[in-house]
Structure formats: C-alpha cells, structure tokens
Amino acid sequence: MVSASDGLPLPDRCGPIATRSASFNGALYSSSSPTSRSRQSSPVHSPRVGPSHLSSSRRSRSQLPWYRRKRLKVVVALVALLGSLFLVNWIMLASLQHDAPNPPVSKASAQLSIRSAVSLSVSGKGNKSGKGKKPQKGYQRMLALAAHALAEDKREPKDLWQEPLAPASTWRPCSDLRIWEPNEGKNGYILVTANGGINQQRVAVCNAVVVARLLNSTLVIPKFMYSSVWRDVSQFGDIYQEEHFIKYLTPDIRIVHELPKELQSLDLEAIGSVVTDVDMVKEAKPSFYLKNILPIILKNQVVHFVGFGNRLAFDPIPFELQRLRCRCNFHALQFVPRIQETGALLLKRLRKHEGLIGPLDRYLLGPFAESVEESGNNAKKASKYLALHLRFEIDMVSHSLCEFGGGEEERKELDAYREIHFPALAQLKRTTKLPSPSELRAEGLCPLTPEEAVLMLAGLGFNRKTHVFVAGSNLYGGRSRLVALTSLYPKLVTKENLLSAAELEPFANYSSQLAALDFIGCTASDAFAMTDSGSQLSSLVSGYRIYYGGGRMPTIRPNKRRLASIFMKNSTIEWRVFEQRVRKAIRQTKHVQTRPKARSVYRYPRCKECMCRTD
C-alpha cells in the first residue's frame, strides 16, 4: 500500500502493470530472447500465411496494371513513413518518461533538478534509526515529470495564494465578548496534568478552563506531563505567559498558581481525587462532569486530572462555554517573550524584506511584531512564502501502522518503537486482525511522504521559485528525505536554516518550544499546506488563520483518500492528468464552511460561538 505520506511500496494493482510493461519492452528489444522470437510468430510457421499463399499473392500482384502497381508502392511508402514517425515518437516519449532526460530548456539549474529528482529515488541508501532511509519507491518517474514541468516556468494558477474571499471575509472574531458574571470558583480546586505535545496540551488547557467554569471551581495553572516521545520537561510558564492567562480569564474563572497549603499535603490518590484518562470517556459530555466529577470536588475540595487531553465533547455544550473555549485558545494563550522575539526574527528572515506587519503578527508576536517591520529606504516588498507541515516524524509513522517502502528492516524498527512508546497499539496489532497497510493507504489513513507532498505542491502549480518553509523537519529517515523537496524547490528552508545555532540554543532539547516557533512560522505564512489533517498542529494553525485571517489566509487541506487513488497510478499517469486531478481534489476542500457538528472549534472556528457574521 502506498502511504499517503511516505514512500511505501506501490499498490498491488499497479505492480502487474509495471511488470507487464517491463516484460513487453524487454520482449520487443531482445532479439536474442527465445520468448521474443516465439511471440513474433514468424510467417513461416503461421497457419494462416503459408508459402502457397505468398506465391499466389505474388502472381496476383504481377498481373496488376503498371499504374496500380505504382499507386500501391506509394501507399506502402506512406505507411512505412508514418510507421517510422510513430516509432520515433514512441521511443522519445518512452525515453522522457522512463529515462528522464533533461528538458528542452537552457537553464542548467533546471536540468540539474531533473537529474537529481530521478537519482534521489534510485540511489538513496538506507541506514538504521531513520538515517538516510530510501525515498519512497516508484516516484522517480513522477518526480522527473514534475521537474520538467517546473522547468517550463508556467504562470501559477490565480487562486493558488487565495481563499474564497467573499464568503470568508464575512466572518470576524468575536469570542472575546462576555455576557456573564465572573465565576468565584468556590466549589473547590482543579489540578490538570496534560499529556502529549504542545498542541495536545494547548487543547487540554482550554478544555480544563471550560470544566472549571462548568463546575464553579478554581483552576490551578496546568502542569505538562513528561512524554517519552517528546522528551521535553517544559511547563506552562516556559511556553505561555502565566500572568496574561490569569488576567485575561479573570472575568470567566478563578485561576491560581498553586493549591492552598492545607490541601498540598493531601494524598489525592488515597482519598479518590485522582482521575486518569482511563477513567473518562473521550470527549465526555458536560453531564458526565456534573454527575461524576463535581461530587469528588465537593467532598474532597480538589480533583486531579492526570493525562487530561481531549476529554470534553464539542457538542452538545452550552453556548457560552463553547465561546469560552475559543476565548482561551485565540486570546488567553500567548507565547512567552523569548519565543515571540525569536519568532519575529524567524518571520523577518522568511520574508527577506518587510515593509508591513503581517495580518497575524500582532496576535502571534505581541510587542515584538514591530521588530519585523523595516522602515525608511531599506523597506522592500516582502517575499511571499508557503509553509508546509510535514507530519512525518517516527511517532506518526509508527502509529499509522502503514508501510513506507523500507521492507523488513523498516517493519522491525517501527515494531520496536511501538513496543516502547505505544504498547497498547503493539498489543492490539499482535492480537487483532487489523486493516492491511494497502487498505489503510487506500482509505487515506497514511501520512503523506515528503515525495508525495512535493508532488502535490508541483501538481497544484507552485513554481520553482516559491519560498517554502518546512515545519516538522525532524523527519523519519533523516534530512535526506528532504532531497525530493529541495531538488524541485531549491528555496526551501527550515527554522534550523534561518536561525543560527546561538539563536536556537535556548530552545535546545525543548521540543515543545521549538514547535512553538514552527507554529508561528506556519500561522503567519501567505499560504499553508498540511499533509495530515489529523495533526493537532495543522488543526490549530488552520483555525488560527481562519479566526484572524480575514479571509486572506489560504490553507491547503489535502483529501488523502483521493490523493491515494491518484498516487496509485504514478507509474502510468500523465503529468497533465495528474495536475488536473490534484487541483480538483484540493479545490473541493477549499470552500468556506461553518463548523460541522461535533467537530473541533479550534480547527473550525466559523461558528456563532467563536465568530460573528458581518453580512
């Protein structure tokens, strides 16, 4: 099954096609092959064309008038000429598609990109622990066609950097509006230890704020659980401004830094005040908290949610509580100054030159947004850039249960990772018949590989000069997996390219804080492309762009199921057809829609609780 995000083996339905094609070509050109000779069916052995038939044919032709014989010779000569032209054309087309010659352009860099696009999938060498893994098999042909198309330097489609402005611009942020009195939090205290990475933790914090208001309880500044996957000891105050968080939400709930001293000495587990994620259903309704959690708080004065994450439903939920959720995410959570300052530096270098502050800069960078702006004679037009979130880290790859072309070595490596970091999933895989990797890929459940991501961008029409910022660059397979991207888009950068070692040093070994820089780079981009719609970072970034973007911040949301059906034909599909199908698939996801029922307000803030319509 071909992963929608990584280099997996070609689907079974494509394999026979490629095999038959190869065997046919071999039979055609191998004159010494017994098989080829038998398939050519020599006329001597043909039951339909025997010697007597040939001789009689010659006699009949000799009896024809001279002018008919001359006309016959002319017809035969024309047929032979046309046949030779078709043969030459077929050979040239086959050479273009399979051998990937340099395109008929004079630019040496364009020629080099085609050669490198072909060689990266042929000569990549695989090592252990994700270093130098081979790019996905089967895409060398498509990458060569993409390089050829980009070398032609065609004009980009008009809507490539645009959202449907008219319907999108009618929505404006309004979750900061309040119509209730402050909550005294007199029922007790809520402790929260959120799991996951920075984006899962952000969701958990806002859910905890809503639960505190629902239960009329005081929220203690949340704690972040150490994860063996992320390996980051960062706490709330290392990423977000605590004082702003407390002050902004004061009209909604009471928030304190720590428990009162008389409660700090309690053995919370012994008194039954510890509630784990196992004790709660995913996306529990408000009624669950009122029935099961409120009695614990009233009895013990405190409850501790351990591993708290996506444990509050989006529907049904009271209007004002849903609005509070949005208020927390889009207004109350601001990055600490050192993240804002470095983020401002990142945006300045991404844009090369900046004369104006970007539409989202003030919300992301606070007072440091001013530093992005250049004044006087040095101010020049900013460079547009596309942000691409490649969700292809080893945790995603292993959790997907997909295959990515690495064979037995890859399977052993990912199985070992699952045993350590996802033991429940590993146990399920051993004891339950799960969908095969090819079935998962066909359903669009595999993350897009770097090769598939770059083919998507080229198919959409982003030209070779596009500035591309890649977030999530700690890819499974190492930085060699970026070769497919850089060969087609040489102006590709990551935060590690743009910021010096000294500038990144304060964030070293803090994956959540580094992810905050990626969040800033993606959210402020002129266009944002995600490769996995289930990614929390992509969801939060796209929601932020909707909320503050004013209908001018387009997001590319691929339908991986439709893309999978396109990629399955990568050994035969023509580039023109590939472009048409990719653009159609993406265009269908670009329409402006209100939040579907039970879907996340963080990702789909276009709803009456979070945003208001101006029309």
Side-chain angles (χ1 to χ4, degrees):
M1 151 180 129
V2 180
S3 167
S5 74
D6 26 84
L8 306 188
L10 291 175
D12 293 341
R13 71 185 72 174
C14 297
I17 295 174
T19 304
R20 289 196 297 270
S21 176
S23 64
F24 173 76
N25 292 336
L28 184 61
Y29 291 108
S30 301
S31 59
S32 61
S33 167
T35 306
S36 65
R37 288 197 296 271
S38 66
R39 288 182 181 175
Q40 289 170 358
S41 299
S42 172
V44 175
H45 300 91
S46 173
R48 298 180 57 195
V49 186
S52 61
H53 181 80
L54 286 173
S55 61
S56 64
S57 297
R58 294 191 188 99
R59 284 196 301 270
S60 64
R61 285 198 300 271
S62 66
Q63 294 171 1
L64 292 174
W66 67 269
Y67 57 86
R68 289 193 176 182
R69 289 200 301 271
K70 185 174 181 180
R71 184 182 300 170
L72 183 62
K73 289 180 181 179
V74 171
V75 171
V76 171
L78 287 173
V79 171
L81 179 61
L82 290 174
S84 63
L85 289 174
F86 277 115
L87 179 62
V88 170
N89 186 58
W90 181 85
I91 292 173
M92 292 178 66
L93 181 60
S95 176
L96 172 63
Q97 292 185 343
H98 296 289
D99 298 333
N102 293 335
V105 294
S106 58
K107 298 180 181 179
S109 61
Q111 295 173 343
L112 178 61
S113 71
I114 296 179
R115 290 196 296 272
S116 61
V118 178
S119 64
L120 69 90
S121 292
V122 177
S123 60
K125 297 181 179 180
N127 297 318
K128 294 182 178 180
S129 302
K131 294 182 179 179
K133 296 281 185 186
K134 290 184 180 180
Q136 186 162 358
K137 296 178 183 178
Y139 284 132
Q140 56 265 36
R141 172 182 172 273
M142 291 299 297
L143 290 168
L145 293 178
H148 186 280
L150 291 178
E152 295 177 358
D153 199 21
K154 296 179 181 178
R155 179 175 296 180
E156 292 180 336
K158 291 182 178 180
D159 62 346
L160 197 57
W161 298 85
Q162 298 174 358
E163 246 190 310
L165 180 60
S169 60
T170 61
W171 292 87
R172 64 175 179 82
C174 64
S175 67
D176 55 334
L177 301 177
R178 297 176 173 92
I179 60 171
W180 58 19
E181 296 298 320
N183 189 315
E184 299 177 358
K186 60 183 180 181
N187 284 339
Y189 292 84
I190 294 177
L191 294 170
V192 171
T193 303
N195 59 6
I198 180 176
N199 302 296
Q200 292 90 338
Q201 291 164 349
R202 185 183 185 107
V203 169
V205 167
C206 292
N207 287 345
V209 167
V210 174
V211 170
R213 174 76 194 201
L214 173 68
L215 303 182
N216 192 14
S217 299
T218 298
L219 178 67
V220 180
I221 288 287
K223 300 289 184 184
F224 293 159
M225 182 182 292
Y226 178 83
S227 167
S228 61
V229 174
W230 304 107
R231 299 178 181 179
D232 187 353
V233 297
S234 297
Q235 289 301 319
F236 186 95
D238 299 315
I239 301 172
Y240 302 110
Q241 298 178 32
E242 288 189 2
E243 296 306 319
H244 173 80
F245 179 71
I246 294 172
K247 182 178 179 180
Y248 191 86
L249 293 176
T250 294
D252 302 303
I253 63 171
R254 180 171 176 250
I255 305 175
V256 296
H257 289 279
E258 59 183 16
L259 281 175
K261 292 191 182 329
E262 62 271 18
L263 296 178
Q264 292 179 11
S265 59
L266 292 176
D267 186 339
L268 298 184
E269 188 169 3
I271 64 175
S273 282
V274 174
V275 178
T276 70
D277 56 347
V278 178
D279 301 322
M280 300 182 61
V281 298
K282 186 178 181 181
E283 296 189 358
K285 296 179 180 179
S287 58
F288 173 89
Y289 290 91
L290 293 170
K291 180 179 178 180
N292 298 282
I293 305 302
L294 182 58
I296 298 176
I297 297 177
L298 294 175
K299 178 183 176 182
N300 300 328
Q301 286 296 293
V302 60
V303 68
H304 186 188
F305 293 114
V306 178
F308 190 75
N310 194 16
R311 290 295 183 269
L312 179 63
F314 288 100
D315 288 302
I317 192 170
F319 180 94
E320 286 300 325
L321 289 180
Q322 194 81 286
R323 174 165 284 186
L324 175 59
R325 217 175 199 167
C326 295
R327 187 151 60 241
C328 172
N329 181 55
F330 297 115
H331 295 273
L333 292 176
Q334 291 190 359
F335 294 124
V336 294
R338 67 189 185 114
I339 291 178
Q340 290 181 333
E341 184 177 18
T342 307
L345 190 60
L346 177 67
L347 294 186
K348 190 171 183 179
R349 291 176 183 171
L350 274 169
R351 293 167 180 162
K352 305 295 183 181
H353 300 283
E354 176 67 323
L356 296 173
I357 297 175
L360 271 66
D361 290 4
R362 297 188 190 279
Y363 307 108
L364 293 166
L365 308 175
F368 294 96
E370 303 294 336
S371 65
V372 176
E373 187 175 18
E374 290 186 4
S375 57
N377 296 329
N378 293 326
K380 297 181 181 180
K381 184 178 179 180
S383 297
K384 289 194 302 185
Y385 76 94
L386 163 73
L388 173 67
H389 180 218
L390 273 180
R391 187 65 173 95
F392 200 62
E393 295 88 349
I394 189 172
D395 66 304
M396 170 63 81
V397 170
S398 63
H399 197 275
S400 70
L401 297 177
C402 298
E403 292 182 352
F404 305 97
E408 187 61 26
E409 180 185 359
E410 176 188 282
R411 281 191 286 272
K412 289 181 179 179
E413 181 178 0
L414 296 182
D415 282 342
Y417 188 91
R418 276 190 288 268
E419 289 291 343
I420 297 172
H421 301 287
F422 307 118
L425 180 61
Q427 176 67 14
L428 184 67
K429 186 173 183 288
R430 284 192 300 269
T431 59
T432 308
K433 181 174 175 56
L434 300 174
S436 67
S438 59
E439 290 171 334
L440 291 171
R441 184 172 297 283
E443 290 298 317
L445 299 177
C446 298
L448 288 183
T449 63
E451 293 81 15
E452 290 167 336
V454 74
L455 286 172
M456 177 185 73
L457 297 182
L460 287 173
F462 286 101
N463 66 43
R464 182 174 164 77
K465 300 175 184 177
T466 303
H467 294 263
V468 182
F469 170 70
V470 175
S473 53
N474 186 23
L475 304 179
Y476 175 65
R479 296 187 67 80
S480 63
R481 293 305 296 258
L482 287 175
V483 173
L485 287 161
T486 55
S487 65
L488 298 184
Y489 293 99
K491 294 185 178 181
L492 180 146
V493 294
T494 65
K495 59 183 178 296
E496 289 79 10
N497 301 138
L498 295 172
L499 300 173
S500 68
E503 290 163 342
L504 285 172
E505 194 277 331
F507 309 100
N509 302 318
Y510 298 107
S511 61
S512 292
Q513 297 178 46
L514 288 171
L517 296 177
D518 278 336
F519 181 91
I520 291 172
C522 289
T523 306
S525 63
D526 298 278
F528 172 63
M530 61 176 75
T531 58
D532 183 62
S533 57
S535 161
Q536 282 282 14
L537 176 89
S538 293
S539 295
L540 291 171
V541 165
S542 63
Y544 216 90
R545 291 167 63 82
I546 289 173
Y547 190 78
Y548 285 119
R552 300 178 183 275
M553 308 295 284
T555 295
I556 298 168
R557 305 173 180 86
N559 182 317
K560 292 190 296 179
R561 187 175 185 178
R562 290 180 181 169
L563 286 184
S565 68
I566 300 172
F567 286 129
M568 284 178 181
K569 298 178 175 62
N570 72 79
S571 62
T572 58
I573 193 171
E574 296 180 8
W575 183 255
R576 177 180 56 82
V577 177
F578 177 81
E579 281 184 329
Q580 291 173 348
R581 293 191 62 187
V582 167
R583 292 179 188 183
K584 181 179 179 181
I586 298 301
R587 193 181 303 117
Q588 290 172 341
T589 68
K590 220 173 179 181
H591 58 277
V592 175
Q593 64 174 352
T594 56
R595 181 180 71 91
K597 186 177 181 180
R599 301 300 294 272
S600 168
V601 293
Y602 309 122
R603 179 174 181 174
Y604 298 103
R606 286 193 186 103
C607 59
K608 58 184 180 180
E609 297 92 342
C610 298
M611 302 182 73
C612 301
R613 299 197 64 155
T614 57
D615 56 352

